[in-house]
Amino acid sequence: MNQQYEQELQSSWQERQEFAERMMPIVGRLYRDKAIEITVYGRSLLNASAIDIIKAHRSVRLFEGVKLRLRESFPILEAISNMPIAPCEVDIGRLAYDFHYNKIAKTESLDTYLTNTLHSVNNQDDKHEPVDVVLYGFGRIGRLLARLMIERQGKANKLRLRAIVVRGGKEGDLEKRASLLRRDSVHGPFNGSITVDNERKALKANGSFIQVIYANHPSEVDYQQYGIDKAIVVDNTGMWRDEEGLSQHLQAKGASKVLLTAPGKGQIKNIVHGVNHTDIDKEDVILSAASCTTNAITPVLKALDEEYGIKSGHVETVHSFTNDQNLIDNYHKAERRGRAASLNMVITETGAAKAVSKAYPKLEGKLTGNAIRVPTPNVSMAILNLNLASQTDKEGINTYLRDASLFSNLQHQIDFTASTEIVSTDLVGTRAPSVVDSQATIVADDRATLYVWYDNEYGYSCQVMRVVTDMAGVSVPTIPAP
């Protein structure tokens, strides 16, 4: 009996692994050649390993109650690869579930089903033109943005990382920049190859030529001399946060738009993608991607407010330390932040709760907030203590947020976990800016406390890239639509 069990188990696993390995090159070609991204219930399969693909399929059981087999989704992927469709994001998990478990397979052929489902992009041309992107600053966020753009390089890619602008220029600087991109203590090694071109002062990463420009001020830069034009400049320095300061980037030849990776001041639109990205106009030349915490809490707050109504609340952030703090006790202009970040929990202020209203005005004046910096290098948590306008319970609020993470317009912003064992390091590299910890949810009538994890570096960087995509006008539809 044991031998028979082992044989069946091995056979089942081997089948899944073989299908996953057959999927990998197709997923890669679809993106590189056609800018078609394949997902399974919102999980991208681009650059995924065979094990990642298997796990993505297994997760469907948590949401639908049935197992989605790779042999059910593979024919859909294979058929899509042979269709003349325009750039889009296709969820083969949802298509496979719909086709096999909603009895469609009994009434339609797969070809007919896909032709009908993909009609909006079938036999359509790619009308998007490539857009140059420049990273002004190359710190924690800058390097992650570089990784995100480099991993998507290909002839069909529309966002092209053309240059980074940094201070310095001393001997050995290029090698150090390359090394920091190549190795990261939190996010691990770079997935690919990076070489240094000292003669042309550039980095080569997975076939991408990235010019390194040394400058102390935007006025010193001429992008056009490097063949860069109409570029979106992503300012990661935080040196300028108002329109007057950021507009200095627009004086540089070859720059057309600016995105700040920090909260913007004054009349600058603070964009939390998924919440108010439709506010981006073609005429906008200066935008802000708000803060990591604002991106973490606003999608969840919006979802809850639309379903239950939020009368008031308090947001407490448990945030990893940042470069703004001292490693050991030393002078700092801010209160408490001068104390050793690696040894202390540090109470500090955050403007994220008030900043929510810039992206979602319905919560204006309803939230307070504070923060505690803790001795971890990455992944933070927001604790949302909310007074709701209607009563609910733990199961109801968790089910609603789970469905929002899968089937709503916030599916790229809200992730969901039902694990009772998950801890902060498990969330490193999470692409969604918010991960609802459903097991920690507390509800008492019209009062709710929710725990929301977020990778304050990587999840936020993914949000920044979504804003860049909209600024560049190269967004694509998701099929099936959420």
Side-chain angles (χ1 to χ4, degrees), residues 136-153:
Y136 196 96
F138 206 52
R140 298 299 300 159
I141 301 302
R143 292 195 296 275
L144 289 179
L145 293 176
R147 286 189 175 203
L148 288 169
M149 281 187 276
I150 293 167
E151 76 174 9
R152 294 173 176 267
Q153 288 302 318

Side-chain angles (χ1 to χ4, degrees), residues 352-398:
K354 292 182 179 179
V356 167
S357 62
K358 290 188 175 182
Y360 189 64
K362 286 183 66 177
L363 294 183
E364 174 74 40
K366 294 184 178 182
L367 300 174
T368 59
N370 214 14
I372 304 170
R373 295 290 180 93
V374 294
T376 57
N378 185 43
V379 180
S380 302
M381 171 182 282
I383 305 171
L384 312 180
N385 291 293
L386 305 173
N387 297 309
L388 304 176
S390 57
Q391 294 188 359
T392 183
D393 55 31
K394 179 177 179 177
E395 182 180 359
I397 211 166
N398 280 340

Side-chain angles (χ1 to χ4, degrees), residues 84-376:
I85 60 179
C88 58
E89 178 184 312
V90 183
D91 195 321
I92 62 169
R94 291 180 62 189
L95 294 184
Y97 180 84
D98 186 42
F99 182 72
H100 290 287
Y101 295 96
N102 288 335
K103 300 181 181 180
I104 294 175
K106 294 183 178 180
T107 59
E108 292 182 9
S109 69
L110 180 59
D111 287 343
T112 300
Y113 171 73
L114 290 177
T115 299
N116 293 334
T117 305
L118 299 170
H119 69 90
S120 62
V121 292
N122 199 21
N123 291 308
Q124 300 293 318
D125 296 328
D126 182 1
K127 299 178 181 179
H128 298 138
E129 294 294 327
V131 176
D132 292 342
V133 179
V134 172
L135 298 176
Y136 196 96
F138 206 52
R140 298 299 300 159
I141 301 302
R143 292 195 296 275
L144 289 179
L145 293 176
R147 286 189 175 203
L148 288 169
M149 281 187 276
I150 293 167
E151 76 174 9
R152 294 173 176 267
Q153 288 302 318
K155 63 182 181 182
N157 180 55
K158 296 300 184 290
L159 293 177
R160 299 183 176 178
L161 176 57
R162 298 295 309 279
I164 61 174
V165 182
V166 294
R167 293 181 176 182
K170 296 180 180 179
E171 185 177 351
D173 184 87
L174 276 175
E175 285 77 8
K176 286 189 175 294
R177 303 284 181 187
S179 180
L180 285 168
L181 182 58
R182 188 181 292 119
R183 304 176 183 87
D184 191 282
S185 300
V186 173
H187 299 282
F190 173 79
N191 185 23
S193 172
I194 299 174
T195 57
V196 174
D197 187 335
N198 280 298
E199 183 177 350
R200 294 189 287 177
K201 291 185 173 58
L203 303 178
K204 296 179 181 177
N206 291 3
S208 302
F209 182 88
I210 307 167
Q211 186 68 55
V212 179
I213 302 172
Y214 292 101
N216 293 318
H217 193 272
S219 62
E220 301 174 12
V221 185
D222 179 355
Y223 296 113
Q224 290 180 339
Q225 68 172 309
Y226 302 103
I228 301 169
D229 197 25
K230 299 179 181 178
I232 297 175
V233 178
V234 183
D235 188 323
N236 306 292
T237 67
M239 293 178 63
W240 307 283
R241 293 172 57 185
D242 58 14
E243 188 170 353
E244 180 181 0
L246 292 168
S247 64
Q248 297 174 103
H249 288 292
L250 300 175
Q251 307 306 312
K253 294 180 180 179
S256 65
K257 296 182 178 182
V258 182
L259 176 63
L260 171 66
T261 59
K265 296 181 178 180
Q267 298 303 309
I268 295 176
K269 292 179 182 178
N270 283 251
I271 303 298
V272 175
H273 203 274
V275 175
N276 68 330
H277 62 282
T278 55
D279 291 346
I280 300 176
D281 297 321
K282 291 183 178 179
E283 297 76 21
D284 289 328
V285 293
I286 300 176
L287 292 173
S288 159
S291 71
C292 58
T293 302
T294 305
N295 275 270
I297 64 178
T298 308
V300 177
L301 290 168
K302 178 178 186 290
L304 293 173
D305 184 63
E306 290 177 341
E307 180 68 11
Y308 302 104
I310 295 176
K311 295 190 294 184
S312 62
H314 176 79
V315 178
E316 192 71 30
T317 303
V318 183
H319 199 292
S320 296
F321 60 72
T322 67
N323 277 331
D324 174 65
Q325 295 170 257
N326 293 327
L327 284 175
I328 58 176
D329 290 3
N330 205 349
Y331 173 81
H332 196 295
K333 63 180 181 180
E335 296 176 350
R336 309 191 204 224
R337 291 200 187 189
R339 302 301 298 277
S342 59
L343 296 174
N344 296 293
M345 292 190 292
V346 180
I347 296 176
T348 186
E349 61 182 14
T350 176
K354 292 182 179 179
V356 167
S357 62
K358 290 188 175 182
Y360 189 64
K362 286 183 66 177
L363 294 183
E364 174 74 40
K366 294 184 178 182
L367 300 174
T368 59
N370 214 14
I372 304 170
R373 295 290 180 93
V374 294
T376 57

